[in-house]
Amino acid sequence: LDFGGGEVTKEFQPNSYLVVNVNTTTIDDADIPQVRRSILDAVARKRGLKIVEFAQMSGRHKSLFQDGDPIIRLSNLNLKTQLNLLLNCRAYFGSSLHCAITALSNGKAAGLIHKKPLTKFQDLFGQLMLIDKFFSSDWNDADCIINNVLDFEKGIGLKLYANYMRSQFDVRMD
């Protein structure tokens, strides 16, 4: 898919990278080194995928990586470029529900960790019947979530969720 995201997306082959971004309200500084190691080990070293980090999209986002890490840090991306990157990635990992939904809508796997139990996250992943594999409120689960996301071969998509919600609506309206 190409939504006119500009020059930056032309260097990325579809399904060759993991998109990562983390909101500062969802992770403690003490958790960052372990999450960083998990991502680098699972993605760059074991699978040979690129890591694309959406950084500085606003003051609310925090980099998980250090200078010299084998990642591509992209900042101040326009909406079309972000969309292109999410729709063509192998998978998404982070704390943004909107990024996860965007990836899922194109059949890509997405893993979310958010330390606060939020109904929207639980609703989405619960209805997709993937809550135990792709969602956690504990950053110590990062390694497991990342590996589950990258091992998931089938396109998830939101069709299953839409079908479930439609059936629930029909049941409640009868």
Side-chain angles (χ1 to χ4, degrees):
L1 296 174
D2 185 0
F3 288 91
E7 293 300 314
V8 75
T9 59
K10 290 182 181 172
E11 68 182 85
F12 299 106
Q13 294 295 319
N15 300 311
S16 68
Y17 57 93
L18 172 77
V19 172
V20 175
N21 85 313
V22 175
N23 185 304
T24 58
T25 63
T26 65
I27 190 168
D28 296 322
D29 288 342
D31 291 326
I32 290 177
Q34 178 261 326
V35 174
R36 177 182 162 268
R37 280 191 303 276
S38 293
I39 294 171
L40 291 174
D41 286 345
V43 180
R45 294 186 186 120
K46 291 182 182 169
R47 299 175 193 263
L49 296 172
K50 294 178 184 175
I51 301 168
V52 175
E53 181 182 44
F54 288 176
Q56 302 170 357
M57 292 190 308
S58 71
R60 298 179 306 134
H61 289 84
K62 182 180 287 193
S63 178
L64 296 176
F65 303 100
Q66 300 172 354
D67 291 341
D69 283 343
I71 66 145
I72 301 161
R73 183 176 291 134
L74 300 174
S75 59
N76 302 317
L77 300 173
N78 65 40
L79 185 59
K80 286 182 179 179
T81 301
Q82 289 177 41
L83 182 61
N84 258 347
L85 288 167
L86 284 166
L87 294 180
N88 289 292
C89 67
R90 167 73 187 272
Y92 167 79
F93 173 77
S95 61
S96 169
L97 179 65
H98 296 101
C99 287
I101 289 172
T102 302
L104 288 166
S105 70
N106 199 41
K108 306 297 180 173
L112 283 164
I113 297 183
H114 202 291
K115 67 182 180 180
K116 297 178 184 172
L118 299 171
T119 306
K120 289 181 183 179
F121 290 106
Q122 293 162 333
D123 284 351
L124 175 65
F125 283 90
Q127 305 311 328
L128 290 172
M129 294 167 271
L130 301 170
I131 197 158
D132 295 335
K133 293 184 80 156
F134 300 116
F135 174 78
S136 178
S137 59
D138 186 349
W139 283 97
N140 289 317
D141 295 334
D143 188 56
C144 181
I145 299 288
I146 292 165
N147 281 298
N148 286 343
V149 163
L150 293 173
D151 288 341
F152 198 78
E153 293 295 328
K154 296 183 287 183
I156 300 170
L158 291 176
K159 186 172 184 177
L160 180 60
Y161 178 69
N163 288 340
Y164 174 84
M165 293 306 289
R166 187 176 303 111
S167 72
Q168 292 303 306
F169 180 78
D170 290 342
V171 167
R172 299 205 194 304
M173 295 307 283
D174 284 342

